[in-house]
Each structure stands twice: as C-alpha cells, then as structure tokens.
Amino acid sequence: MKLLISRVLSCFVFLLMSNAVMSQEIPKYDYLEIIVVQKANNSGRVKRIKVQEQKSLEGKKITIKEIEDLDGTSDLLSYMNAANWEFVDRQSVVSEENDPVWMSYIFRKRK
C-alpha cells in the first residue's frame, strides 16, 4: 500500500513540475523602431522615413533602404505586415506649431 501511495505521489509531483516548467516559457521578440517625419499643420504628408541600424534587423529579409524608400505610413504598415512584423505602438512628438511631427512606430517579430 505504501508503495502504491509513493508512486502516485511521485507521479503527481512530476506532473506539477512539468506544468510549472511549461508555463514559464516566455516568447522572445525582436523589436524595431521606425521614425516617420510628417509635415506640419496636419497635412499628413510624410517628409521622410528614418531607420537607424538596429540588432533586430540582422539576418532579416527587410532592409533599411527598402523601408526608407517607402512613400507613406500606409505603405510602411503594409510592407511590415507582409514581412510578418506586428505593429505594437505609435508615439508622436510635436515641439511647435510649424515644426514637423516626429512619430515613432514600434514593430515586433517573434524570434
């Protein structure tokens, strides 16, 4: 009887440990920041798209030159979606009324 109880208890402990190990797996992502500079006064026209050299671009299909050659934000979002990059966040900075609007687009891709 004691042997049966010890086997059941050890199986139960093993199952609990395996669930704890599986539940702690954290997905890892590459993050990419792209700066979009738009003209002032809400015209919404993109002046330029800037991408700095980032580790998350190493070994990927997309390149800085291809991203910077895009014409607008809709083209940027379509291009990144086609390359399996997920849009995460956008933040904008406006310093004065007639200054251009700097927007930071954040994308992520599962490693």
Side-chain angles (χ1 to χ4, degrees), residues 15-26:
L15 289 174
L16 284 178
M17 285 183 4
S18 64
N19 282 341
V21 170
M22 282 192 234
S23 65
Q24 292 182 3
E25 183 179 325
I26 299 172

Side-chain angles (χ1 to χ4, degrees), residues 33-40 42 44 73 87-96 99-106:
E33 180 182 27
I34 299 174
I35 305 296
V36 176
V37 183
Q38 285 188 344
K39 292 187 177 185
N42 292 330
T73 55
F87 173 75
V88 176
D89 191 22
R90 181 189 75 167
Q91 296 181 0
S92 61
V93 176
V94 181
S95 38
E96 300 219 5
D99 286 346
V101 179
W102 290 70
M103 293 189 300
S104 169
Y105 283 82
I106 307 292

Side-chain angles (χ1 to χ4, degrees), residues 12-105:
F12 182 70
V13 169
F14 176 74
L15 289 174
L16 284 178
M17 285 183 4
S18 64
N19 282 341
V21 170
M22 282 192 234
S23 65
Q24 292 182 3
E25 183 179 325
I26 299 172
K28 297 187 178 171
Y29 293 97
D30 280 334
Y31 286 91
L32 177 64
E33 180 182 27
I34 299 174
I35 305 296
V36 176
V37 183
Q38 285 188 344
K39 292 187 177 185
N41 299 330
N42 292 330
S43 65
R45 301 188 83 174
V46 172
K47 286 175 81 173
R48 70 177 171 258
I49 296 176
K50 292 177 61 173
V51 182
Q52 294 178 346
E53 196 66 41
Q54 300 175 38
K55 276 188 166 184
S56 57
L57 284 174
E58 294 175 4
K60 302 293 190 293
K61 294 186 288 186
I62 61 174
T63 64
I64 292 174
K65 184 170 176 23
E66 289 175 341
I67 295 172
E68 290 180 344
D69 287 342
L70 297 172
D71 294 327
T73 55
S74 62
D75 295 334
L76 172 66
L77 293 172
S78 297
Y79 177 77
M80 296 302 285
N81 190 31
N84 293 324
W85 284 82
E86 178 185 358
F87 173 75
V88 176
D89 191 22
R90 181 189 75 167
Q91 296 181 0
S92 61
V93 176
V94 181
S95 38
E96 300 219 5
E97 187 175 321
N98 290 328
D99 286 346
V101 179
W102 290 70
M103 293 189 300
S104 169
Y105 283 82

